[in-house]
Structures are given as structure tokens and as C-alpha cells.
């Protein structure tokens, strides 16, 4: 068997995605972003730069904001992965989703899921961040619309809402 065939063999991956246990067959070289979009059907995770530079694909892995384009799906065996789709509960938007909507932080929307997940990672670690801490937490996420002020305002507004 040649090397290409070995890399394309599939294995069973078990992980928790947005609170639900899943088992899916994946190749060893499949990126987490591709797994989430193509197999799990979670298209809120955006494919941007494919190099960890834009943050559009940011998800939480065991609570840590991580660009999913830099992680192999098989490295998530047994772990908890959260996407923007997993934040809303009982038909209600999550506080960050609500404030991004109300404060116009979403703009064109392409970067919004990654921004929200990076902000959620911050708020779980630090429920009352300073403006500087918010800007630092979002520094790995690029906004094509360059509307960073509205994005930071959206996170600041979410801080005032109880989780």
C-alpha cells in the first residue's frame, strides 16, 4: 500500500460537538474545519485563510478558542468542540449573538462566528474583561469590513448580560 493510500484510510472519531456525542469516519489528514462543515454540517464555522491567520474558523476545544483550520479532526478524539451553532439554547440567541445583532457587530457576517467564539472563550475565562483584554482576545480574528469598534462594543454589551 502506498503512502497516499495509508493517509486516506479512515478511522472512527468520537467527540462531543455542541453537547452531543458523535462518531464519524474521518481520514487522518482531515482538518477539524472540514469535519465540522462537511460531516457535521455546521456551516457557521467559516473557511477563511486556511492558515490560522484570520480566525473565521474559530471554535472552542475544551473551552479554548482555537482556529479549527490548524487542528486535525483526529486530534479531537474524546474532546469537547463547540461552534457558534451550539451557543443558542431553547430557541433563544446566546448573549453574544444577541449583542452582535443589536449593536451591529455582525456587519457582513463572515467573521462573526469566529469573533463570537473567541469572545465566548474570553468571557468564560474572564467574565469582566477590560477593553484591552477584549481587543487582545479578538486580535487573532480579522474583520473584512474593518468594523472593529462595533465588534468590541458588542462584546462589552454582552458582559453586562448575565450568562
Amino acid at each position: 500500500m502506498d503512502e497516499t493510500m495509508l493517509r486516506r484510510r479512515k478511522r472512527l472519531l468520537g467527540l462531543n460537538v455542541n453537547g452531543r456525542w458523535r462518531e464519524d469516519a474521518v481520514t487522518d489528514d482531515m482538518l477539524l474545519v472540514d469535519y465540522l462543515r462537511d460531516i457535521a454540517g455546521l456551516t457557521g464555522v467559516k473557511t477563511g485563510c486556511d492558515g490560522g491567520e484570520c480566525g473565521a474558523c474559530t471554535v472552542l476545544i475544551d473551552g479554548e478558542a482555537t482556529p479549527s483550520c490548524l487542528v486535525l479532526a483526529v486530534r479531537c478524539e474524546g474532546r469537547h468542540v463547540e461552534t457558534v451553532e451550539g451557543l443558542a439554547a431553547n430557541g433563544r440567541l446566546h448573549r453574544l449573538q444577541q449583542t452582535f445583532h443589536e449593536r451591529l457587530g455582525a456587519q457582513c457576517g463572515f467573521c462573526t462566528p469566529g469573533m463570537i467564539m473567541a469572545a465566548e472563550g474570553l468571557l468564560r475565562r474572564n467574565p469582566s474583561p477590560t477593553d484591552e483584554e477584549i481587543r487582545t482576545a479578538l486580535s487573532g480574528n480579522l474583520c473584512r469590513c474593518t468594523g472593529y469598534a462595533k465588534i468590541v462594543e458588542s462584546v462589552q454589551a454582552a458582559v453586562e448580560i448575565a450568562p
Side-chain angles (χ1 to χ4, degrees):
M1 195 175 299
D2 69 10
E3 186 174 321
T4 303
M5 290 295 290
L6 286 173
R7 285 189 303 141
R8 289 289 173 195
R9 287 180 29 189
K10 291 187 175 185
R11 71 166 72 179
L12 194 60
L13 169 67
L15 72 166
N16 184 308
V17 178
N18 293 333
R20 292 184 54 206
W21 183 257
R22 296 184 58 106
E23 291 183 345
D24 297 294
V26 299
T27 59
D28 287 341
D29 61 350
M30 177 175 262
L31 294 173
L32 180 60
V33 65
D34 297 326
Y35 168 78
L36 292 169
R37 288 183 59 83
D38 300 340
I39 294 178
L42 299 169
T43 56
V45 181
K46 303 299 183 207
T47 303
C49 65
D50 263 345
E53 297 173 5
C54 76
C57 65
T58 300
V59 298
L60 299 181
I61 300 175
D62 295 333
E64 280 293 317
T66 306
S68 59
C69 71
L70 296 181
V71 178
L72 292 172
V74 295
R75 302 289 280 177
C76 294
E77 176 70 39
R79 300 177 79 179
H80 292 259
V81 176
E82 297 172 72
T83 70
V84 72
E85 290 93 339
L87 293 181
N90 302 320
R92 298 188 60 193
L93 294 177
H94 180 274
R95 63 180 171 157
L96 281 164
Q97 294 167 323
Q98 186 66 39
T99 56
F100 268 68
H101 172 70
E102 292 172 353
R103 304 288 176 128
L104 306 177
Q107 300 164 74
C108 85
F110 187 81
C111 70
T112 305
M115 290 282 187
I116 287 176
M117 295 313 290
E120 176 64 6
L122 168 66
L123 296 182
R124 287 183 188 180
R125 291 188 321 271
N126 179 358
S128 300
T130 64
D131 290 354
E132 186 62 30
E133 289 168 329
I134 292 170
R135 292 178 196 283
T136 298
L138 300 179
S139 64
N141 297 70
L142 300 179
C143 172
R144 296 175 183 190
C145 305
T146 68
Y148 293 100
K150 293 289 186 188
I151 291 168
V152 172
E153 287 175 25
S154 299
V155 177
Q156 291 166 330
V159 168
E160 303 302 320
I161 300 171

